[in-house]
């Protein structure tokens, strides 16, 4: 029968029950003539002339077609995701301890081809942070490097920075990225968009990056990894963009988003040790993120390395943990030099004890809350210690040790690490830094100054390096004033092999300076140049204008004899600061002078000019007029007498 | 000789230059720029919102069995009568035309008259065709035009009939609390949350490709979805705290559920995000006994207004579990259905049975709503500008307003044309109206407008008073003196003469 009338009232009820009916299942209904009826109370028309009664209910087939037995959950023996984490502890000389938390995450395959299968493009994330990929995709970012660093790395005592310095930035925030774009202008727009997005994600002021802080490095920051720089569009190019904010304070609000990026959310695995109070209470700390797009023949994936590193002074940290409120040391705890007179009131303190034992939970205030469960391999804790140290892992109340001092965290029990030594000065040897570089401001006064950078090569090999400097536009650099000071008689041409210099444009571009340098063995020299300080506009001064302006660190990339990266300390440049009430004073003063001048001229033109006599004559009162008349009389008498005298003289 | 006349003239000139040149110049140079907005035009648009709109939809009539040469005219008369019977917020009509060979059945509305032994109609779910069945008696009684008109108005164009003719206000009627405000691009975020860190996997890829892609394709003229999925560990939306309670009500749940982490995802480029969250409680929290599980599935779903769908599972996941397609498919189905509610396409989960027709009607509804909302936005802009006479109105606002008025004209031309009515036209009109909406928002939310609004007017006085104060005083007193002097000098001249005598 052709009657295809559908009876909705009944069906609506059944629709509501069958939680499965929707548009797309209707698209697979086999009988094409079958109608599903219209929305409301249609079909049964109120008009009786339609005269159709509810005759037939066409049964809807019930989707979804469930085939076979219904099995919602499937047990899998091994489930691992591309996530790895480990904690490396390395004691440093003078009772310092370097703790390095390392996390590696790889994303699911990216859907690059957005053409034909547009409706089939889904972005799937498992362990890779979901917040990062949309940002990278939307700004066409192929590599992203983000550094939050604060504190002083004592290179002379502690040796090389961890990971050859490749994971730590200059003080403040540093960010660089490789962007795919058609033009430099478009790349800059993407860069700004990236900066704004990251600023929100990491609670920082990265959004203050504009064209006046952005540079495009030429020799430095060269991206590594051959297949980590894919071009998704053959017509576009890759741009390397970099900026740094030296005055950015790094604090807990930056660590929290770092932890949220991890699948464990800091609730299990080594990340459970991380607590903002302890991390930022350290002498030096660095948070870093490096994301690369790695492609093989068929697919691309994001690869992310996240590092949280810090150097803590162990005795101080333990004291803090024991006595949150500092109190004087008890008498029996005093360590006095016994060769000198000592009693309750007099004590010459001994140097710090070299005998030390501590547990990680004391340093961090927390335990490791079991391993992370999602990972391919369990969480690891490694202690890189010297031979006279002993490192034990504590699970429950039992201690375990291993040959290589690396421990795997298993299960969800609380783990702790116990370190003990009789001589804290004996630490695993760290390699020496290939070069020391320090930079300082010279000169005085508010109109100019100088920059002086000292390079010291303590080794027996020539060190070749790239020196990168990005200076704000208000430091007007004179490259012609570049001088070298050297006791060994080195000339500029001897050390500088290549220079890249892009002068600043006011308010639009920073000075961008890169040198290829060759530092001869066992030599020290200083490069210096002069600059003028520009005057800023009234509104360009920050609220704390008298504090000065932070100048970001210079970046030193050592190319040979080994790959190493380091930053100089930041500088504090004081610019002449105006008296901010000045404009109003100027207005008042100028107005007064103008008013005065105008008044004078106006009065000259409008008022009548008279001689004193006329004024006296016309202006006097009755009394003065009488005096005036009296005076006139006397004058008249004198006038009469004078000729008399003359005549008498004549006569004489 | 007395120079009094000259001096008076000088004083008057000074004063005249001050008043007629200086003050206007000062005023001109220190006032903020206020672009001249077409205020009267917008006011009239606001007062009579739909005078320039007359939505016309062409419908083509064909007959398979009999030849009715002028049935379309007869239907047109009936349609007009029916539409006249109710006066809604918007005038709209159908242009009934005879079927021609060039008419595209897929994109145009076609009414097919089919002979049968009873009277009725059907609207197939997969096309825009309306089939009206008639019998010989109805031909004799000449009922066909009326049947067709009624079918078209009340069923094929039911949504229009409901919103344009029966309701009072298009905007208010189409807004409901559940639905998000309409935007052409919507992001869908599908998350699997577990309360602990045990690894889970899900067959979301094949499930979505099989069951969600068709929906995306189908709805793409109206809404473009971008979709991402993710697994979130250590987050059970704080449902663990309800695990002990057997009788947690919806209110308890809505007070407990913490959607902050899922809602604060502002890194998508789309403005609107809808969510599907599948939540498993952690092992430490245990079963959520308040969930009414059925024999079919162990979960219950909740619709969160303007946010998305929350699927809460009764019991924690076993170790190392993969959620299969069998588990995910019903959830995706349910979500798809509720998606229409969240988008405002349907008020009840099941009333989308003739999707092609409904989607088309919805497009028209959205066009009108965009037009209305943009008129409202422009009117708010006018009110704002009029209320704050000291507020700057930058040139860009004017440019945007002009562009908006232009776009509105274009949309009106498209929808008013009785011979244009294919899919392409409605899509084009919808795109233009979306653009119109955006342009109006841009005009209203121009940052310089409100930013400068609170620039204190006293500043101007404070800055200029040190200059203008002394000048004014000197000049006025000079003028007054010059006129006073006249009498004085005359009288003193007389006295002088007296003295001389």
């Amino acid at each position: 029968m052709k009657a295809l009338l559908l009876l909705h009232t009944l069906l609506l009820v059944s629709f509501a029950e069958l939680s499965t009916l929707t548009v797309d299942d209707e698209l697979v209904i086999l009988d094409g003539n079958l109608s599903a009826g219209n929305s409301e109370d249609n079909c049964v028309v109120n008009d009786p002339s339609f005269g159709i009664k509810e005759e037939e209910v066409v049964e809807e087939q019930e989707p979804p077609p469930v085939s076979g037995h219904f099995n919602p959950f499937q047990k899998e023996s091994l489930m691992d995701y591309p996530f790895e984490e480990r904690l490396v502890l390395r004691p440093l000389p003078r009772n310092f301890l370097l703790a390095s938390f390392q996390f590696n995450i790889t994303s699911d395959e990216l859907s690059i081809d957005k053409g034909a299968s547009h409706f089939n493009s889904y972005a799937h994330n498992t362990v890779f942070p979901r917040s990062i990929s949309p940002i990278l995709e939307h700004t066409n970012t192929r590599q992203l490097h983000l550094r939050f660093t604060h504190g002083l790395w004592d290179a002379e005592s502690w040796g090389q920075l961890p990971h050859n310095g490749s994971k730590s930035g200059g003080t403040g925030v540093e960010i660089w990225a490789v962007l795919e774009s058609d033009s430099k202008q478009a790349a800059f727009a993407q860069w700004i968009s990236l900066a704004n997005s990251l600023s929100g994600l990491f609670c920082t002021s990265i959004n203050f990056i504009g064209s006046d802080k952005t540079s495009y490095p030429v020799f430095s920051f060269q991206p590594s990894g051959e297949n980590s720089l894919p071009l998704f569009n053959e017509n576009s190019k890759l741009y390397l963009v970099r900026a740094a904010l030296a005055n950015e304070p790094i604090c807990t609000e930056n660590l929290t988003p770092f932890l949220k990026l991890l699948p464990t959310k800091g609730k299990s695995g080594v990340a459970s040790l991380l607590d903002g109070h302890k991390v930022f209470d350290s002498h030096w700390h660095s948070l870093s993120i490096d994301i690369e797009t790695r492609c093989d023949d068929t697919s691309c994936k994001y690869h992310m390395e996240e590092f949280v590193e810090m150097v803590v002074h162990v005795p101080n940290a333990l004291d803090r943990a024991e006595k949150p409120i500092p109190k004087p040391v008890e008498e029996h705890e005093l360590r006095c030099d016994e060769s000198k007179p000592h009693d309750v009131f007099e004590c010459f303190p001994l140097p710090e004890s070299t005998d030390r034992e501590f547990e990680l939970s004391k340093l961090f205030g927390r335990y490791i809350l079991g391993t992370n469960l999602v990972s391919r391999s369990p969480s690891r804790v490694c202690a890189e210690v010297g031979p006279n140290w002993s490192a034990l892992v504590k699970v429950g109340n039992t201690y375990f040790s291993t040959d290589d001092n690396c421990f795997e965290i298993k299960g969800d029990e609380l783990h702790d690490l116990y370190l003990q030594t009789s001589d804290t000065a004996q630490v695993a040897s760290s390699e020496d830094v290939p070069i020391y570089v320090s930079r300082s401001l010279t000169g005085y006064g508010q109109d100019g100054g100088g920059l002086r950078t000292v390079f010291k090569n303590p080794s027996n090999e020539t060190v070749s390096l790239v020196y990168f400097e990005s200076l704000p536009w208000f430091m007007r650099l004179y490259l012609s004033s570049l001088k070298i000071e050297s006791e060994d008689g080195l000339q500029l041409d001897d050390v500088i092999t290549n220079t890249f210099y892009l002068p600043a444009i006011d308010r639009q571009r920073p000075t961008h300076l890169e040198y290829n340098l060759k530092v001869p063995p066992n030599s020290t020299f200083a490069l210096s140049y002069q600059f003028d300080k520009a005057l800023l506009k009234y509104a360009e001064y920050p609220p704390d204008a008298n504090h000065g302006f932070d100048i970001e660190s210079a970046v030193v990339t050592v190319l040979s004899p080994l790959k190493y990266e380091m930053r100089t300390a930041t500088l504090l440049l004081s610019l002449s600061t105006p008296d901010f009430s000045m404009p109003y004073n100027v207005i008042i003063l100028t107005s007064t002078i103008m008013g005065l001048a105008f008044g004078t001229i106006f009065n000259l033109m409008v008022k009548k000019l008279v001689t004193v006599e006329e004024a006296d004559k016309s202006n006097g009162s009755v009394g003065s007029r009488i005096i005036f008349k009296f005076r006139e009389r006397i004058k008249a008498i004198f006038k009469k007498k004078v000729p008399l005298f003359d005549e008498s003289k004549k006569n004489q | 000789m007395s120079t009094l006349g000259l001096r008076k003239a000088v004083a008057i000139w000074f004063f005249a230059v001050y008043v007629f040149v200086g003050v206007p110049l000062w005023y001109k140079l220190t006032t903020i720029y206020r672009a001249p907005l077409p205020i009267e035009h917008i006011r009239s648009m606001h007062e009579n919102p739909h005078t320039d709109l007359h939505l016309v939809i062409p419908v083509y009539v064909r007959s398979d069995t009999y030849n009715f040469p002028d049935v379309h005219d007869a239907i047109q008369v009936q349609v007009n009568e029916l539409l006249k019977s109710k006066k809604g917020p918007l005038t709209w009509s159908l242009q009934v035309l005879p079927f021609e060979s060039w008419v595209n059945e897929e994109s145009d509305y076609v009414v097919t008259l089919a002979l049968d032994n009873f009277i009725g109609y059907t609207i197939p779910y997969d096309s825009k065709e309306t089939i009206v069945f008639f019998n010989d008696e109805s031909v004799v009684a000449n009922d066909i035009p009326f049947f067709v008109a009624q079918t078209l108005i009340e069923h094929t164009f039911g949504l229009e009939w409901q919103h344009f003719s029966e309701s009072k206000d298009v905007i208010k009627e189409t807004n409901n609390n559940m639905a998000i405000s309409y935007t052409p691009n919507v992001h869908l975020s599908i998350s699997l949350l577990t309360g602990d860190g045990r690894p889970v996997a899900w067959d979301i890829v094949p499930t979505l490709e099989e069951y969600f892609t068709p929906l995306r394709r189908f709805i793409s003229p109206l809404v473009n979805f971008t979709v991402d999925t993710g697994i979130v560990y250590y987050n059970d939306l704080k449902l663990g705290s309800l695990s002990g309670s057997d009788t947690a009500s919806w209110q308890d749940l809505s007070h407990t559920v913490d959607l902050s982490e899922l809602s604060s995802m502002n890194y998508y480029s789309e403005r609107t995000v809808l969510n599907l969250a599948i939540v498993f409680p952690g092992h430490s929290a245990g079963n959520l006994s308040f969930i009414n599980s059925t024999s079919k599935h162990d979960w219950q779903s909740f619709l969160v207004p303007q946010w998305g769908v929350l699927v809460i599972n009764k019991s924690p996941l076993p170790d190392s579990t993969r959620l299969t397609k069998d588990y995910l498919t019903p959830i995706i189905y349910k979500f798809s259905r509720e998606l229409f509610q969240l988008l405002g396409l349907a008020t009840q989960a099941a009333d989308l049975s003739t999707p092609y027709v409904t989607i088309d009607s919805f497009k028209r509804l959205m066009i009108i709503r965009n037009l209305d909302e943009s008129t409202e936005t422009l009117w708010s802009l006018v009110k704002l500008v009029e209320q704050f006479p000291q507020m700057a109105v930058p040139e860009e606002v004017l440019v945007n307003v002009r562009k908006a008025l232009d776009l509105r004209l274009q949309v009106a031309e498209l929808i008013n044309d009785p011979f244009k009515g294919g899919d392409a036209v409605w899509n084009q009109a919808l795109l233009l109206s979306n653009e119109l909406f955006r342009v109006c928002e841009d005009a209203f939310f121009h940052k310089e407008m409100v930013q400068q609004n609170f620039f204190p007017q006293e500043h101007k006085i404070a800055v200029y008073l040190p200059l203008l104060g002394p000048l004014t005083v000197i000049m006025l007193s000079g003028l007054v003196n010059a006129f006073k002097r006249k009498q004085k000098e005359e009288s003193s001249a007389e006295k002088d003469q007296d003295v001389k005598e």
Side-chain angles (χ1 to χ4, degrees), chain A residues 124-342:
Chain A
H124 298 288
N125 298 291
T126 46
V127 284
F128 192 77
R130 204 171 172 183
S131 46
I132 297 271
S133 17
I135 297 176
L136 297 184
E137 262 160 47
H138 154 239
T139 58
N140 264 327
T141 307
R142 298 289 160 262
Q143 278 198 10
L144 171 67
H145 307 270
L146 194 59
R147 303 279 182 272
F148 296 79
T149 313
H150 222 277
L152 176 76
W153 179 267
D154 183 1
E156 293 192 19
S157 154
W158 301 342
Q160 288 187 9
L161 283 160
H163 320 284
N164 288 332
S166 62
K167 300 289 175 197
S168 29
T171 300
V173 179
E174 199 175 334
I175 170 174
W176 68 99
V178 179
L179 305 162
E180 179 180 324
S181 185
D182 304 332
S183 64
K184 196 170 174 179
Q185 219 174 357
F188 179 72
Q190 286 163 226
W191 166 250
I192 293 299
S193 166
L194 176 72
N196 287 334
S197 309
L198 291 177
S199 152
L201 194 61
F202 290 104
C203 300
T204 56
S205 325
I206 308 179
N207 55 325
F208 282 98
I209 290 174
S211 66
D212 61 329
K213 291 194 173 73
T214 304
S215 52
Y216 301 83
V218 179
F219 305 127
S220 309
F221 298 101
Q222 290 309 309
S224 60
E226 278 183 9
N227 52 2
S228 65
L229 286 171
L231 268 180
F232 291 173
N233 181 354
E234 284 175 11
N235 299 326
S236 44
K237 285 192 234 160
L238 292 172
Y239 292 87
L240 173 64
V241 198
R242 184 238 178 222
L245 294 168
N247 57 349
E248 179 75 17
I250 318 295
C251 203
T252 321
E253 74 265 20
N254 306 120
L255 181 69
T256 313
F258 262 73
L259 292 181
K260 278 203 178 162
L261 296 182
L262 302 172
T264 58
K265 306 271 184 284
K267 288 177 178 159
S268 72
V270 296
S272 57
L273 282 178
L274 286 170
D275 173 17
H277 295 100
K278 304 287 176 188
V279 173
F280 299 107
D281 206 15
S282 57
H283 273 237
W284 176 89
H285 42 260
S286 162
L287 317 181
S288 75
I289 283 186
D290 296 81
I291 302 171
E292 290 179 0
T293 316
R294 291 187 187 162
C295 289
D296 54 20
D297 296 339
T298 52
S299 67
C300 287
K301 287 177 177 181
Y302 291 127
H303 185 85
M304 176 163 118
E305 286 184 334
E306 192 178 321
F307 285 62
V308 179
E309 292 175 318
M310 70 198 96
V311 174
V312 285
H313 188 238
V314 178
N316 279 359
L318 292 176
D319 282 352
R320 273 277 181 114
E322 273 168 27
K323 290 179 281 193
I325 302 166
K327 281 182 198 155
V329 182
E330 298 278 330
E331 185 197 334
H332 62 270
E333 288 173 12
L334 277 176
R335 287 165 32 83
C336 297
D337 192 344
E338 308 221 341
S339 61
K340 293 180 178 142
H342 67 281

Side-chain angles (χ1 to χ4, degrees), chain B residues 472-491:
Chain B
T472 315
V473 169
I474 292 168
M475 210 152 9
L476 275 180
S477 60
L479 188 73
V480 170
N481 276 343
F483 277 87
K484 266 191 185 166
R485 191 65 54 85
K486 185 187 168 190
Q487 291 145 3
K488 244 189 192 174
E489 290 195 3
E490 275 171 1
S491 57

Side-chain angles (χ1 to χ4, degrees), chain A residues 21 24 37-38 43 71 76 81, chain B residues 155 200 211 322 324 337 353:
Chain A
L21 183 78
D24 35 7
N38 203 346
C43 289
N71 180 20
E76 286 206 359
Y81 285 115
Chain B
H155 303 295
V200 275
Y211 296 106
R322 172 174 286 275
T324 59
R337 278 154 32 87
S353 40

Side-chain angles (χ1 to χ4, degrees), chain B residues 397-427:
Chain B
V397 175
L398 180 64
V399 170
N400 275 335
V401 169
R402 284 203 181 126
K403 199 171 162 197
L405 295 177
D406 249 25
L407 279 168
R408 190 188 158 91
L409 274 185
Q410 287 178 34
V411 175
E413 259 173 42
L414 277 178
I415 62 173
N416 288 357
D417 195 329
F419 297 99
K420 284 185 181 166
D423 272 351
V425 173
W426 300 120
N427 288 347

